[in-house]
């Protein structure tokens, strides 16, 4: 079902079928996009682990340990370090544990061994600072990558849920 068909169903349901509509098209699309996002959040409709998609992959920069995560991502289920030779799962450790065990952990360089939790909301922080341009591949729950803006747009969720 495309956005125009959704709009027609919406207008029929609320009996807003006469021109000079109660709700303009833009507002109907806004409602639909909000509903799709809420359905994704409540039902975890969009889960991804894709090494080729920037939503779930971060290209590591030597010497940099903190990276932004897309605002489309609302939950990260797992982290994996992808090197030239392996995929390695990275556990999540609280920053207080690292402070207790490795007082100067923020300045350590090498292959990352864990993801740091509790610092920098909306970002991923690694311990150790990478020295090689590897990839961090995440399994993420996310919102749709596209929104409805045109009549022919199709919601980015399974069709049986439209």
């Amino acid at each position: 079902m495309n956005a125009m068909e959704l709009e027609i169903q919406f207008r029929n349901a609320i009996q807003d079928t006469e021109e000079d509509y109660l709700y303009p098209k833009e507002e109907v699309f806004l409602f639909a996009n909000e509903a799709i996002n809420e359905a994704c959040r409540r039902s975890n409709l969009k889960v991804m682990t894709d090494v080729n998609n920037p939503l779930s992959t971060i290209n590591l920069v030597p010497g940099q340990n903190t990276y932004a995560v897309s605002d489309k991502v609302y939950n990260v289920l797992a982290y994996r370090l992808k090197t030239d030779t392996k995929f390695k799962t990275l556990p999540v450790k609280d920053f207080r544990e690292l402070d207790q065990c490795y007082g100067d952990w923020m300045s350590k360089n090498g292959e990352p061994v864990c993801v740091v939790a509790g610092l920098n909301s909306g970002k991923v922080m690694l311990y150790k600072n990478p020295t090689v341009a590897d990839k961090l591949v995440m399994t993420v729950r996310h919102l749709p990558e596209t929104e409805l803006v045109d009549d022919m747009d199709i919601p980015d969720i399974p069709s049986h849920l439209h």
Side-chain angles (χ1 to χ4, degrees):
M1 182 178 302
N2 64 30
M4 181 175 58
E5 293 165 329
L6 284 172
E7 179 188 6
I8 290 168
Q9 273 193 347
F10 168 77
R11 292 195 187 288
N12 287 336
I14 66 165
Q15 299 175 354
D16 184 20
T17 56
E18 300 296 320
E19 279 292 330
D20 225 19
Y21 297 121
L22 182 58
Y23 296 100
K25 179 185 289 293
E26 297 77 23
E27 197 166 4
V28 173
F29 284 9
L30 177 68
F31 294 155
N33 286 318
E34 287 179 15
I36 291 166
N37 286 344
E38 188 65 23
C40 287
R41 275 191 213 91
R42 289 182 183 207
S43 301
N44 301 316
L45 295 178
K46 307 288 288 177
V47 179
M48 173 193 333
T49 302
D50 182 352
V51 73
N52 297 312
N53 190 315
L55 206 58
S56 63
T57 301
I58 295 172
N59 294 315
L60 302 182
V61 176
Q64 179 180 333
N65 71 347
T66 305
Y67 301 87
V69 177
S70 169
D71 59 354
K72 297 281 186 186
V73 171
Y74 63 89
N75 190 317
V76 181
L77 302 171
Y79 299 91
R80 292 172 194 84
L81 180 66
K82 183 185 182 311
T83 69
D84 288 339
T85 59
K86 65 185 174 198
F87 257 109
K88 173 182 153 186
T89 299
L90 296 181
V92 177
K93 303 259 186 192
D94 189 273
F95 76 96
R96 290 170 288 237
E97 180 182 344
L98 294 172
D99 283 347
Q100 284 181 336
C101 297
Y102 315 100
D104 63 343
W105 63 271
M106 285 188 172
S107 63
K108 299 270 181 164
N109 295 317
E111 183 177 288
V113 295
C114 71
V115 173
V116 181
L119 295 173
N120 299 320
S121 296
K123 296 186 178 182
V124 171
M125 186 174 206
L126 300 172
Y127 166 68
K128 302 173 176 176
N129 300 326
T131 55
V132 178
D134 291 325
K135 292 181 184 276
L136 182 67
V137 181
M138 303 173 292
T139 300
V140 298
R141 290 181 178 145
H142 63 95
L143 302 176
E145 295 178 70
T146 60
E147 293 188 339
L148 304 177
V149 293
D150 185 72
D151 282 342
M152 302 318 287
D153 291 345
I154 297 175
D156 187 20
I157 59 175
S159 60
H160 70 279
L161 298 173
H162 292 183

